Amino acid sequence: MKKISYYIISLFALAGTLASCSKVLDVTPNAEFTPGNVLTSEAGIKSLLFSAYAEQQTQQNSRFVINDSEMCTDMAFNSGGQENGQLIHIINFTWDPTLGTFEGDLWAPNYRCIRDANGVIENIDGVNASEETKILFLAEARALRAQAYAILYNFFGPVPLRTSTEQTGDLVRATEEEMRNFIESEFLAAIPGLPDPGQEESFGRFNKGNATGLLAKFYLNTKQWQKAADACKTVIDFNYYSTTQYAFKNLFRVENEGMNNREMLLVLPCLNQVDFGNWFMAGALPAGFKSTDQLPEYIYQSSMSNFATQYRLRTAFVNSMAENDLRRDLICTEYINNNNVTVNILDGDNARSFKYWDNTTVGNNSGNDVPVLRYADILLSRAEALNELSGPSIEGFDLINQVRRRAGLAGLTTADVSTQDQFRDAIFRERGWEFITEGKRREDLIRQGTFLSSAIARGVSPDLATSARLLFPIPQSEIQANKLCEQNSGYN
């Protein structure tokens, strides 16, 4: 039986929205979108698949996910503006289940993605399309569902496993084992049906490389070291991805986006358009910003807001980077304001990440794609997994040094790091410097075991920085709506 009514209205709206955005999975409105055949035609099921992608690719709100993942760490800080009303709780570890970002930015978009992916999976057999197309769409839907559940698990732990559009609203949370097995099995089932890297119809869709990469990161974050190492090796063995194509400073430029950028396995594709833009720079600009000699290529567009809320980098974190680290090229520590006065902002936790600058921004809508998974992450993840298995190795040094060389740094040797603990610390330092403003710091510190101690060291009360804070609370709206969903420990 076709599952139709739940999707009809949203599919019509989505078709019109995506038609104007060829970079963001273009789909043309079609007369086939009628209640009788919307999920039996190839166009109809494709539109539902693209709806799942759209829910996962929340470009404008990506800054909230980044900030939720970095403001609670040693990397980032915030002050001023309306957003600070929420971020101050993330910074101080005083968040609770009612904090709006948990529901609006982390929970709801992923479950909407899961809802649409379930619709594709349930209806794909009855679609009037080639077998090859149905295999592809099914694989993409399962990869999207696995990704969404992996994200939810990362933030909240085990959650209700909604695998059908016909399940009741009240649903218990999965067990730890059920959750992990489901995510792994979904990725493994999806990957064979996906195209090889570079063969996908449009950039931003799943292929064997990025789906395997996400599975590798899931293995890494759950400390399944051998599986993580093997999955990373599979990605490397495609011989498709590279860290040598662009200088680090140019990796994130709009003109270098798309399938030609072999560093990017998966991104949130952004455009200079309302609802599809990357808004991070509007919060990263310091007060009264005019220009900076550190990045003379960047020409501030006066049509972009300079938010009252300020996305800042912590001084100690920036100072931990070597002076000759080329990744500092995208960190603003000094600028010229509107009064032509040079302002130093390195001190006071006030430096800024300019990773997403764009001279063609329209209003607040910068076109810089937001990385979800990069090749540098695959290299460092394999190095980490190999070290956890057997300590420092020749291959481990080669992997981390590929990333360091692009940053203009000397390669590490056994003279620098000789023990497993030292190599682990080196990996996590490198990950911090490499992935600024990409939303990875929280999961890295949790995996390293320093998330809580780092918070206490910078002044968070030990009464707040407890093991309960390794997970965010289930949003209060879900607890109220789903009577069988129990809250995470420590948030009752």
Side-chain angles (χ1 to χ4, degrees):
M1 178 179 175
K2 297 193 297 293
K3 319 301 191 296
I4 294 177
S5 58
Y6 196 71
Y7 302 102
I8 297 298
I9 296 176
S10 62
L11 284 177
F12 277 113
L14 179 74
T17 300
L18 293 183
S20 65
C21 302
S22 59
K23 184 179 174 185
V24 190
L25 308 179
D26 192 16
V27 59
T28 304
N30 198 300
E32 293 173 337
F33 293 159
T34 59
N37 60 19
V38 65
L39 295 183
T40 60
S41 70
E42 180 175 335
I45 204 74
K46 187 175 186 179
S47 185
L48 182 55
L49 176 66
F50 283 5
S51 178
Y53 271 112
E55 295 296 350
Q56 192 57 252
Q57 296 177 349
T58 53
Q59 293 89 346
Q60 186 170 306
N61 285 3
S62 62
R63 69 192 193 276
F64 299 139
V65 180
I66 291 171
N67 288 334
D68 288 347
S69 303
E70 293 183 354
M71 298 290 176
C72 55
T73 75
D74 61 341
M75 178 182 286
F77 190 65
N78 175 260
S79 61
Q82 184 175 0
E83 290 180 37
N84 185 252
Q86 294 201 81
L87 290 176
I88 193 66
H89 294 292
I90 300 294
I91 293 168
N92 292 335
F93 277 52
T94 54
W95 62 75
D96 65 31
T98 66
L99 198 65
T101 188
F102 295 149
E103 194 278 333
D105 303 314
L106 305 181
W107 184 274
N110 284 294
Y111 268 112
R112 289 195 296 265
C113 173
I114 291 164
R115 172 202 65 194
D116 292 346
N118 285 341
V120 173
I121 293 165
E122 290 174 346
N123 288 281
I124 194 67
D125 286 343
V127 173
N128 184 19
S130 69
E131 195 63 26
E132 181 182 16
T133 295
K134 290 197 284 188
I135 289 172
L136 173 62
F137 286 1
L138 176 61
E140 289 184 90
R142 295 190 78 168
L144 280 162
R145 186 165 69 173
Q147 180 192 19
Y149 275 123
I151 293 170
L152 288 165
Y153 178 74
N154 187 314
F155 285 119
F156 302 105
V159 297
L161 278 175
R162 300 194 178 277
T163 58
S164 167
T165 59
E166 295 186 333
Q167 285 172 295
T168 61
D170 292 333
L171 189 65
V172 298
R173 298 173 67 175
T175 65
E176 189 78 29
E177 183 179 13
E178 289 169 342
M179 194 78 198
R180 291 191 181 194
N181 288 344
F182 183 82
I183 293 168
E184 178 182 26
S185 63
E186 279 294 279
F187 274 125
L188 291 175
I191 289 167
L194 297 170
D196 286 344
Q199 300 303 309
E200 62 270 31
E201 186 177 290
S202 57
F203 189 60
R205 290 176 70 172
F206 273 107
N207 60 45
K208 285 184 172 70
N210 53 35
T212 304
L214 290 179
L215 176 59
K217 288 305 302 291
F218 169 73
Y219 286 145
L220 191 79
N221 284 325
T222 52
K223 298 185 178 182
Q224 300 181 67
W225 304 120
Q226 189 62 60
K227 288 182 176 181
D230 292 345
C232 289
K233 184 66 161 54
T234 298
V235 176
I236 293 168
D237 286 348
F238 279 112
N239 293 316
Y240 179 83
Y241 302 105
S242 171
T243 59
T244 61
Q245 187 179 13
Y246 297 113
F248 187 85
K249 185 177 183 178
N250 297 324
L251 266 181
F252 311 93
R253 296 186 65 161
V254 173
E255 55 265 38
N256 295 332
E257 293 176 347
M259 289 188 184
N260 290 329
N261 191 327
R262 300 297 180 90
E263 167 75 16
M264 303 295 174
L265 275 73
L266 189 64
V267 303
L268 305 182
C270 295
L271 294 169
N272 301 122
Q273 294 182 14
V274 175
D275 295 330
F276 297 100
N278 178 346
W279 277 36
F280 191 88
M281 276 299 291
L285 293 172
F289 179 86
K290 180 179 179 182
S291 64
T292 175
D293 292 338
Q294 294 175 301
L295 195 63
E297 306 98 310
Y298 176 45
I299 302 172
Y300 170 59
Q301 307 295 311
S302 60
S303 62
M304 173 180 273
S305 300
N306 187 325
F307 285 166
T309 197
Q310 301 279 284
Y311 306 157
R312 300 158 55 175
L313 296 176
R314 292 184 180 273
T315 303
F317 180 85
V318 176
N319 283 341
S320 72
M321 304 174 72
E323 287 292 334
N324 63 330
D325 191 327
L326 297 178
R327 291 169 294 204
R328 294 185 72 135
D329 290 347
L330 294 177
I331 297 177
C332 178
T333 60
E334 186 177 272
Y335 73 102
I336 299 170
N337 67 16
N338 290 327
N339 295 321
N340 293 318
V341 174
T342 298
V343 183
N344 186 300
I345 54 173
L346 175 58
D347 296 333
D349 295 334
N350 204 22
R352 308 304 170 96
S353 171
F354 274 19
K355 186 170 279 187
Y356 302 124
W357 67 273
D358 176 13
N359 287 341
T360 60
T361 188
V362 176
N364 297 332
N365 300 289
S366 297
N368 313 78
D369 292 345
V370 179
V372 175
L373 183 62
R374 296 203 276 116
Y375 189 51
D377 201 346
I378 296 298
L379 299 179
L380 294 175
S381 294
R382 178 164 169 82
E384 180 183 341
L386 291 176
N387 181 63
E388 294 300 330
L389 289 166
S390 56
S393 63
I394 293 174
E395 183 183 359
F397 280 109
D398 176 68
L399 292 164
I400 190 173
N401 287 338
Q402 287 184 57
V403 177
R404 288 177 62 84
R405 281 195 295 271
R406 183 174 58 190
L409 301 177
L412 296 177
T413 69
T414 53
D416 305 300
V417 288
S418 59
T419 69
Q420 186 181 54
D421 288 345
Q422 289 173 342
F423 196 88
R424 182 186 299 119
D425 290 344
I427 285 287
F428 280 102
R429 286 195 300 270
E430 208 66 47
R431 290 188 62 85
W433 302 328
E434 180 73 17
F435 301 118
I436 296 168
T437 321
E438 296 183 40
K440 300 187 183 300
R441 191 62 171 167
R442 171 185 169 272
E443 67 184 47
D444 284 350
L445 294 186
I446 289 175
R447 194 171 67 253
Q448 187 187 20
T450 59
F451 181 68
L452 300 177
S453 60
S454 171
I456 293 170
R458 63 178 181 271
V460 174
S461 169
D463 293 334
L464 294 172
T466 65
S467 60
R469 301 284 154 164
L470 296 175
L471 294 174
F472 286 147
I474 303 295
Q476 188 62 31
S477 57
E478 175 66 15
I479 296 297
Q480 292 172 341
N482 180 357
K483 303 306 180 186
L484 296 180
C485 184
E486 294 185 4
Q487 183 57 269
N488 280 328
S489 174
Y491 293 107
N492 294 315

